[in-house]
Amino acid sequence: MRQQPEQQAPPVQRLRIRYAKRGRLRFTSHRDFSRAFERAVFRARIPMAYSSGFNPHPRISYAGAAPTGSASEAEYLEIGLAAVLDPADVHVSLEEALPSGLDVLEVVESPGGSLADLLEGSHWWADVAAQPMEAATAVDAFLATGSVVVERMTKKGLRELDCRVPVVSLVAGPAPEGSPAGARLDLVLRHAVPSIRPDDVLSGLAQVSALAVGPAPLLTRVAQGPLDETTGEIGDPLRARA
């Protein structure tokens, strides 16, 4: 008879963490980041709580990870601890243990509830090769269309997705001074199922207007959190209660 696995004690504290993916580290996949984070937790000697079962693993919950290749200032996860620690101390320890470009921005105590449920929308910047006037014309055409269906290859094969419906707001302007891009698109996306990504919206813009976004547009998530449907603003999930 197979022996039952030892039951692990539940976490005594949960911490929510905001981190960034910057520079070349934006090409880190979610799987690679999760491995790097687990190594960082081990190096920092943070007393993690573990799951029960035959293969216990540290209690880390990831939520709303950005697509590989996208930079982000608003990635979130939650960890469960086996001892109560000062969030500021955990912040310092993790920042020292993670490579530059995977940067811990904030650590707070969890108020309880679901972190994932607070991530209702994202604010993105997309820096593209097109000039501002061209981009603005494309945005006007996109917003005037009720439905824009694009194709994306997924694990289950080629899927058709309506990239227009989740767009809360979309504005075109000049790229920042010194940027190799011509225009910056300011985009707020409502999180939906299936998920629509900024590159889907870029495909939709090219479809309705033949907009030339360039071979490698830079996508940066600026914020992620509760969505105010009235103003289109994204709130801070570390300041909201699930």
Side-chain angles (χ1 to χ4, degrees):
M1 182 177 179
R2 190 177 186 184
Q3 186 177 4
Q4 291 298 310
E6 180 183 355
Q7 295 298 302
Q8 303 290 329
V12 299
Q13 183 185 34
R14 294 183 185 274
L15 298 178
R16 290 180 177 175
I17 298 170
R18 178 187 175 198
Y19 67 96
K21 290 171 58 178
R22 296 167 171 160
R24 294 182 63 84
L25 271 297
R26 71 182 187 273
F27 296 107
T28 304
S29 70
H30 175 63
R31 178 177 293 182
D32 289 339
F33 172 78
S34 63
R35 290 172 179 165
F37 187 78
E38 288 192 23
R39 288 195 297 268
V41 164
F42 179 77
R43 285 196 297 270
R45 298 186 178 182
I46 293 174
M48 297 293 295
Y50 280 77
S51 63
S52 298
F54 289 104
N55 296 296
H57 56 272
R59 291 190 177 272
I60 305 172
S61 300
Y62 301 93
T68 302
S70 302
S72 179
E73 296 294 315
E75 301 298 286
Y76 294 93
L77 58 83
E78 183 170 290
I79 60 176
L81 302 184
V84 176
L85 300 180
D86 185 337
D89 292 339
V90 174
H91 186 165
V92 171
S93 297
L94 287 176
E95 185 66 12
E96 291 176 348
L98 282 166
S100 179
L102 296 177
D103 304 320
V104 175
L105 303 180
E106 192 171 5
V107 180
V108 302
E109 191 154 5
S110 169
S114 170
L115 173 60
D117 287 348
L118 293 171
L119 305 181
E120 299 172 337
S122 288
H123 180 190
W124 291 88
W125 289 337
D127 293 341
V128 300
Q131 293 306 303
M133 188 171 295
E134 296 174 280
T137 299
V139 165
D140 289 343
F142 181 88
L143 295 178
T145 306
S147 175
V148 181
V149 177
V150 297
E151 293 182 335
R152 188 210 301 162
M153 183 60 69
T154 70
K155 294 178 181 179
K156 296 183 178 180
L158 197 63
R159 292 196 63 178
E160 290 190 342
L161 306 168
D162 187 344
C163 67
R164 172 63 185 90
V165 173
V167 173
V168 177
S169 65
L170 178 59
V171 178
E177 187 175 351
S179 169
R184 168 168 287 179
L185 303 175
D186 191 291
L187 169 67
V188 174
L189 274 176
R190 180 184 298 104
H191 292 178
V193 179
S195 174
I196 297 299
R197 308 183 314 204
D199 51 311
D200 296 322
V201 176
L202 294 182
S203 296
L205 285 165
Q207 181 176 301
V208 300
S209 67
L211 180 71
V213 299
L218 175 60
L219 306 176
T220 304
R221 174 146 59 191
V222 184
Q224 181 181 194
L227 172 63
D228 187 322
E229 293 285 355
T230 302
T231 65
E233 294 181 353
I234 302 295
D236 184 351
L238 300 187
R239 302 290 177 268
R241 188 173 183 88

